[in-house]
Amino acid sequence: RFPATRLSFVLSLRSGGEAERQRACERLVALYWKPLYKYVRIKWNRSSEDAQDLVQGFFAVALERETLAAFDPSRASLRTFLRLLVDRYASNQRKAACRKKRGGDAVALDFEAAERELARVASSSPDPEELLRREWVRALFGDCVARLREELHGAGRELQLRVFEAMNLEDADARPSYRELAERLGVTETKVTNDLSAARRRFRVIVLETLREVTASEEEFRAEARAVLGVDP
């Protein structure tokens, strides 16, 4: 079942209270900064330093209520809207205008990690828009895995978490069979399969809840669910 409709963080940015807007800002940055950074590096052929300045400067502008008020969910997805905004920002801002002082009130973003990830795909000359889409899914799943870990840790379901990580996060070549994992953990194969099913179901719910949060219309939510999970509502 799909989670019930709740206030998108896009709407929170425009009309919520101060605390709600702050939380929405943090969620927007957390889920979109790295995909947009990599997009800027490839599409605009910017150096790492210039791309850092541009992305930080872009978010300083994009998080203004007046900027986001232009978003029309009937015309484009939030991801497409942000891509068009960053393209416009990159083309209109000179390097000196884009440069923002690092530190202080600047958002702390791990650009070095983003560079390491980008190095693994840049040699294949990816299409910038396809790169943005893939990196958005990567960021989404990373955020949802972190939420699942926190939830299972808090509930004392460490075994369930270990099963999920072994079967979903390890490289395919290193992934154990159900029997091997059961022997490693000292449980039955049935316990492994049951815990894996439960963790995967909860992960799917978390993904759908997050998609609800980061989309601004039912149509966009359903389109993203189909694209990310292959779910056809």
Side-chain angles (χ1 to χ4, degrees):
R1 295 178 57 190
F2 286 95
T5 301
R6 61 183 183 182
L7 188 63
S8 161
F9 72 43
V10 179
L11 300 180
S12 297
L13 283 166
R14 287 191 280 182
S15 59
E18 185 60 33
E20 190 173 10
R21 282 200 300 272
Q22 179 63 32
R23 176 180 175 276
C25 287
E26 292 172 357
R27 293 292 290 148
L28 181 69
V29 173
L31 288 168
Y32 281 98
W33 79 263
K34 192 180 288 186
L36 288 175
Y37 170 74
K38 295 179 183 179
Y39 173 80
V40 166
R41 289 274 281 120
I42 297 296
K43 172 67 180 293
W44 293 95
N45 195 28
R46 294 296 186 112
S47 69
S48 174
E49 183 179 85
D50 287 347
Q52 290 177 36
D53 292 332
L54 193 148
V55 169
Q56 288 178 323
F58 166 72
F59 276 115
V61 172
L63 293 177
E64 294 176 0
R65 296 175 68 184
E66 294 79 5
T67 301
L68 291 171
F71 175 55
D72 183 353
S74 67
R75 298 179 62 183
S77 68
L78 177 61
R79 184 173 64 254
T80 298
F81 176 69
L82 291 175
R83 175 177 60 80
L84 294 175
L85 282 182
V86 83
D87 280 341
R88 184 186 307 167
Y89 186 82
S91 65
N92 291 340
Q93 298 294 317
R94 293 178 299 179
K95 180 178 178 180
C98 291
R99 192 167 302 281
K100 299 292 180 180
K101 181 180 179 181
R102 293 186 178 89
D105 293 332
V107 178
L109 305 178
D110 190 357
F111 286 108
E112 290 185 4
E115 275 297 306
R116 290 193 296 271
E117 293 170 7
L118 183 60
R120 293 195 288 268
V121 299
S123 60
S124 63
S125 301
D127 174 73
E129 292 186 24
E130 175 60 19
L131 175 68
L132 177 61
R133 186 197 68 79
R134 291 202 315 264
E135 290 302 321
W136 148 244
V137 175
R138 181 188 179 99
L140 173 71
F141 279 3
D143 181 84
C144 293
V145 167
R147 288 179 57 189
L148 179 67
R149 282 186 173 125
E150 182 179 1
E151 183 176 303
L152 294 181
H153 275 308
R157 296 201 291 270
E158 301 293 339
L159 182 62
Q160 192 176 115
L161 177 59
R162 291 179 64 186
V163 169
F164 178 84
E165 290 176 335
M167 301 305 293
N168 291 91
L169 304 184
E170 290 188 11
D171 292 336
D173 294 339
R175 196 168 297 158
S177 67
Y178 290 142
R179 176 177 295 179
E180 290 170 337
L181 185 57
E183 292 176 352
R184 182 194 305 176
L185 298 176
V187 297
T188 65
E189 285 188 58
T190 300
K191 175 64 173 173
V192 166
T193 57
N194 288 345
D195 278 2
L196 180 61
S197 295
R200 283 176 171 171
R201 284 196 302 271
R202 184 55 194 158
F203 179 73
R204 179 180 179 275
V205 169
I206 291 173
V207 171
L208 290 173
E209 288 176 347
T210 303
L211 287 176
R212 277 288 189 197
E213 188 178 23
V214 303
T215 53
S217 69
E218 183 70 14
E219 181 180 2
E220 183 184 358
F221 164 72
R222 290 176 176 270
E224 292 285 26
R226 285 192 294 268
V228 170
L229 295 175
V231 175
D232 191 8

